[in-house]
Amino acid sequence: MVSAREHIDPTPFVEANRANWDERAELHAARDGSGYGIERFVDDHEALSDVVRFDLPLLGDIRGKRAVHLQCHIGTDTLSLARLGAHVTGLDFSETAIAEARRLVAEAGDAVDFVRSDVRDAASVLQPASFDLVYTGIGALCWLPRVDEWARVVAALLAPGGSLFIREGHPILWSVNETLEDDIHLRFSYFEPAEPLEWDDDSTYVPTTRPLTATKTYEWNHALGEIVTALLDAGLRIDALVEHDSVPWEALPGRMTHRATDGEWVLTGRFAGVMPLTYTIRATKPA
């Protein structure tokens, strides 16, 4: 029996998201102190992104590894992986993001390759079974219609013995109504939906000099069990699943405080510790 979600063509949703991320990439890469604060990566050749720095204890030593960073955006995490000694290729579906990523590494003097492609086509534009590490960062899976498609791409890219590393927003967090400040309420589907949630928002998650004009976006949640099962079905072995009490942005305004030690945001007061906010999965393609 064919499931309902297989009848839905995600192309219009993906194209709307691409327009939004093209615009975000330009704003996030600003050299005026807004956006991602790109200047520090150019001025300090040892600077790492806060996201990659948080990942280090679970990521381990990646020196000499052939790595691909899926959904790499403007390349700050990708560049950080290269500064840890990996030979890195970044991939993103936004032409603007890839252009900004190439501009960044050219200014900073780091050696990173970038490829423009939808992540679902990554195994067609990159050499299959040629990477020791597939890395995926925060805020990536929610833009993908089917998590099983993603898992098969990861497995196809990994060389035997290679590993996946992903830290991502927890699906329970994506289920919360973030507009409420007095309490925490689950409103949106925890499980992968047939149709995406539609959002209309002219802001992004870092300070920018102007609002967005391509404001419509579409997101799909994926349950933690669905993600793990998809990786197992793709032939990977789960080595670690760690849930974290922090997230790199103020995901639930009015209920969080900023942790200066690592740049993360945590729930505080009566909300402290009530739910996981992110998770890390490490998985291996058997040799």
Side-chain angles (χ1 to χ4, degrees):
M1 182 175 179
V2 178
S3 66
R5 70 169 65 102
E6 291 182 83
H7 293 290
I8 297 172
D9 179 7
T11 302
F13 308 127
V14 173
E15 290 307 311
N17 289 342
R18 192 195 314 273
N20 177 269
W21 280 100
D22 281 345
E23 193 170 357
R24 289 201 209 198
E26 180 182 349
L27 294 172
H28 291 174
R31 267 63 167 177
D32 58 7
S34 64
Y36 272 38
I38 291 295
E39 300 91 337
R40 71 186 179 98
F41 295 98
V42 176
D43 296 340
D44 180 0
H45 290 176
E46 296 185 358
L48 301 177
S49 69
D50 289 342
V51 168
V52 169
R53 191 174 296 281
F54 182 97
D55 290 339
L56 280 175
L58 291 173
L59 182 61
D61 187 357
I62 62 171
R63 285 175 294 181
K65 290 190 175 182
R66 300 162 298 168
V68 59
H69 178 193
L70 301 180
Q71 297 168 271
C72 68
H73 192 38
I74 61 172
T76 52
D77 295 339
T78 326
L79 174 153
S80 299
L81 296 174
R83 289 180 175 181
L84 294 175
H87 307 291
V88 193
T89 299
L91 179 143
D92 198 272
F93 76 156
S94 165
E95 191 71 56
T96 306
I98 291 299
E100 293 292 355
R102 288 171 176 159
R103 177 187 171 200
L104 169 60
V105 298
E107 292 178 3
D110 293 274
V112 183
D113 295 321
F114 290 99
V115 176
R116 209 289 303 170
S117 173
D118 189 301
V119 68
R120 294 171 297 169
D121 301 322
S124 299
V125 299
L126 299 173
Q127 185 176 350
S130 63
F131 294 98
D132 306 308
L133 172 67
V134 171
Y135 178 92
T136 297
I138 293 282
L141 294 191
C142 62
W143 305 103
L144 303 181
R146 298 285 301 271
V147 73
D148 57 348
E149 291 179 337
W150 167 81
R152 288 194 292 270
V153 167
V154 170
L157 292 172
L158 284 173
S163 298
L164 164 71
F165 184 99
I166 176 172
R167 183 186 176 219
E168 181 56 285
H170 202 288
I172 200 71
L173 174 61
W174 302 136
S175 303
V176 171
N177 186 350
E178 66 185 64
T179 64
L180 299 178
E181 294 188 5
D182 61 332
D183 212 336
I184 291 178
H185 295 279
L186 299 185
R187 177 182 174 186
F188 307 109
S189 175
Y190 175 82
F191 300 99
E192 184 177 285
E195 297 187 29
L197 289 172
E198 178 181 311
W199 303 97
D200 194 344
D201 189 352
D202 66 1
S203 65
T204 181
Y205 47 87
V206 293
T208 58
T209 55
R210 61 172 175 81
L212 300 169
T213 58
T215 58
K216 287 283 185 72
T217 57
Y218 300 87
E219 298 180 26
W220 293 263
N221 201 4
H222 310 285
L224 195 56
E226 292 171 339
I227 296 164
V228 168
T229 298
L231 293 170
L232 292 171
D233 287 346
L236 302 187
R237 181 188 72 231
I238 305 298
D239 299 315
L241 170 56
V242 181
E243 294 172 296
H244 309 284
D245 66 354
S246 67
V247 66
W249 76 99
E250 191 178 7
L252 300 174
R255 290 153 287 184
M256 308 190 82
T257 58
H258 188 251
R259 196 163 63 191
T261 54
D262 57 9
E264 295 275 302
W265 290 82
V266 294
L267 289 165
T268 53
R270 64 191 177 97
F271 302 116
V274 301
M275 58 185 282
L277 299 176
T278 55
Y279 66 89
T280 295
I281 293 176
R282 289 177 53 195
T284 299
K285 182 176 182 177

